[in-house]
Amino acid sequence: MSHQDAIYRHLREMRAELFNGLPREVRSEISGGEIVMMMSPVPKHGLAAKDVVRQLDAQLPEPLLAVENTDTDDASLGKLRMPDIMVAPRAAFDTDEDAVDARELVLAVEIVSRSNPDNDYVRKMADYAAMGIEHYLIVDPRDGTCLYATEVGSKGQGPEYLLRTSYPYGDVIRIGDLATIDTTGLPRYGEKGRR
C-alpha cells in the first residue's frame, strides 16, 4: 500500500468515526489529504437540485439514473466527493460499498452555495476531471448562471476540462447525448440567507 493510499484509508476511517450516527445532512468530503466539512444546503439549493433531477429523470436512457447527495470516490487519487447530483448506471448504485466508483459516473452536478463558490468552480472542477467524470455542470443561483464543462484532457498540469461553456438562466443546456437542462425557472438566491 502506498503512502497516499494509507493516508486516504486513514481519512476514510476518521470520517466514518467522526460522523457515525450523525444525520446525513452533516456532509463531508475528502480531497487534498483533508476532510472537508460542508454546511447543510438552504432550501433554494435543494429546490434547484430537485428541478434538475426531475428534468434528468424524464430524459436519461436506461440504465442511467440521477441520484442526489451520494458519495463517490477514487481511492487511487485519495478523493471522496458528494456531488449534489450524479448520473451513473443503476448497477453502480446497487453496491454494498460506501461510495459509488467515480469511474462509473457520466455526469456530476453541483449547485453553488453562497458561502464557498470556489469549492465548485476550482476544487471540484479539478477533482471531477481527475476522477474522469466526463460531464460536469455547475448551477449558480447566486447570479443565475451555469457552467458546463466536458472533454477531459490534459494541457500539462494533469487532467482538466478542456471545453467550458457559460450559460445564463433561461438557456437550454445540452449535456452531451445524455439530456438537456432547461434553466428557465431555476431558483435564485435572494438577499436573505447565507447559502
Side-chain angles (χ1 to χ4, degrees):
M1 175 182 341
S2 75
H3 182 68
Q4 181 176 325
D5 290 342
I7 290 172
Y8 179 68
R9 181 169 285 151
H10 179 69
L11 288 172
R12 288 285 305 256
E13 290 168 1
M14 283 180 54
R15 178 181 183 256
E17 187 174 315
L18 286 170
F19 300 103
N20 184 31
L22 293 177
R24 185 78 173 148
E25 292 78 30
V26 177
R27 299 166 49 135
S28 64
E29 298 176 322
I30 299 172
S31 181
E34 299 176 338
I35 296 175
V36 181
M37 298 294 302
M38 298 171 297
M39 296 191 59
S40 296
V42 296
K44 283 189 178 178
H45 181 284
L47 180 60
K50 183 56 71 180
D51 287 349
V52 172
V53 165
R54 285 184 174 158
Q55 290 186 55
L56 290 169
D57 283 345
Q59 300 173 65
L60 289 172
E62 292 282 339
L64 296 178
L65 296 175
V67 174
E68 295 178 72
N69 299 320
T70 300
D71 289 343
T72 185
D73 80 338
D74 186 324
S76 69
L77 297 173
K79 298 184 184 302
L80 181 144
R81 291 296 192 171
M82 184 190 296
D84 292 317
I85 303 163
M86 66 171 71
V87 173
R90 179 184 179 84
F93 298 106
D94 191 10
T95 180
D96 291 327
E97 298 297 323
D98 292 335
V100 173
D101 184 337
R103 292 176 295 257
E104 297 286 336
L105 270 64
V106 295
L107 169 65
V109 180
E110 294 291 352
I111 313 299
V112 176
S113 70
R114 279 190 195 179
S115 62
N116 192 9
D118 282 353
N119 193 37
D120 297 321
Y121 282 105
V122 179
R123 290 181 285 279
K124 287 188 178 184
M125 177 84 69
D127 285 355
Y128 291 157
M131 293 166 120
I133 300 170
E134 183 179 356
H135 304 279
Y136 178 38
L137 178 64
I138 300 172
V139 176
D140 195 337
R142 296 172 313 147
D143 61 3
T145 62
C146 296
L147 179 68
Y148 171 53
T150 191
E151 294 186 21
V152 176
S154 181
K155 290 185 179 177
Q157 294 274 339
E160 63 181 282
Y161 290 105
L162 301 178
L163 181 60
R164 300 175 190 191
T165 309
S166 296
Y167 297 89
Y169 274 22
D171 281 3
V172 175
I173 303 169
R174 174 164 294 287
I175 308 296
D177 293 332
L178 299 174
T180 58
I181 303 297
D182 184 350
T183 62
T184 304
L186 290 179
R188 290 188 61 175
Y189 299 139
E191 293 299 316
K192 291 181 122 183
R194 294 181 181 216
R195 294 186 332 100

